[in-house]
Coordinates of all heavy atoms in Angstrom, one line a residue:
Chain K
T127 N 31.0 77.9 140.7 CA 30.0 77.2 140.0 C 29.0 78.3 139.7 O 27.9 78.5 140.3 CB 29.2 76.2 140.7 OG1 29.9 75.9 141.9 CG2 29.1 74.9 140.0
D128 N 29.1 79.0 138.5 CA 28.3 80.1 138.1 C 27.1 79.5 137.4 O 26.8 79.6 136.2 CB 29.1 81.1 137.1 CG 28.2 82.2 136.8 OD1 27.1 82.4 137.3 OD2 28.6 83.0 135.9
V129 N 26.1 79.0 138.3 CA 25.0 78.3 137.7 C 24.1 79.1 136.8 O 23.9 78.7 135.6 CB 24.0 77.8 138.9 CG1 22.8 77.1 138.3 CG2 24.8 77.0 139.9
L130 N 23.8 80.4 137.2 CA 22.9 81.2 136.3 C 23.7 81.6 135.1 O 23.1 81.5 134.0 CB 22.6 82.5 137.0 CG 21.2 82.5 137.7 CD1 20.8 81.1 138.3 CD2 21.0 83.6 138.7
G131 N 24.9 82.0 135.3 CA 25.8 82.5 134.2 C 26.0 81.2 133.1 O 25.8 81.6 131.8
D132 N 26.3 80.1 133.6 CA 26.5 79.1 132.7 C 25.3 78.7 131.8 O 25.3 78.6 130.6 CB 27.0 77.7 133.4 CG 28.4 77.9 133.9 OD1 29.1 79.0 133.5 OD2 28.8 77.0 134.8
A133 N 24.1 78.7 132.6 CA 22.8 78.4 132.0 C 22.5 79.5 130.8 O 22.2 79.2 129.7 CB 21.7 78.3 132.9
A134 N 22.9 80.8 131.2 CA 22.6 81.9 130.2 C 23.5 81.8 129.0 O 23.0 82.0 127.9 CB 22.7 83.1 131.0
R135 N 24.7 81.4 129.2 CA 25.7 81.3 128.2 C 25.2 80.2 127.2 O 25.3 80.3 125.9 CB 27.2 81.0 128.6 CG 27.8 82.4 128.9 CD 29.3 82.2 129.4 NE 29.3 81.7 130.8 CZ 29.4 82.5 131.8 NH1 29.2 84.0 131.7 NH2 29.3 82.1 133.1
V136 N 24.7 79.0 127.8 CA 24.3 77.9 126.9 C 23.1 78.4 126.0 O 23.1 78.3 124.8 CB 23.9 76.8 127.8 CG1 23.0 75.7 126.8 CG2 24.9 76.1 128.4
L137 N 22.2 79.2 126.7 CA 21.0 79.7 125.9 C 21.4 80.7 124.9 O 20.9 80.6 123.8 CB 20.0 80.3 127.0 CG 18.6 80.7 126.6 CD1 18.7 82.1 125.9 CD2 18.0 79.7 125.7
I138 N 22.4 81.5 125.1 CA 22.7 82.7 124.3 C 23.4 82.0 123.1 O 23.2 82.2 122.0 CB 23.7 83.6 125.0 CG1 22.9 84.4 125.9 CG2 24.5 84.5 123.9 CD1 23.8 85.3 126.9
A139 N 24.3 81.0 123.3 CA 24.9 80.2 122.2 C 23.8 79.6 121.3 O 23.9 79.6 120.0 CB 25.9 79.1 122.8

Side-chain angles (χ1 to χ4, degrees):
Chain K
T127 352
D128 182 5
V129 181
L130 260 41
D132 289 350
R135 272 182 284 273
V136 167
L137 189 277
I138 289 170

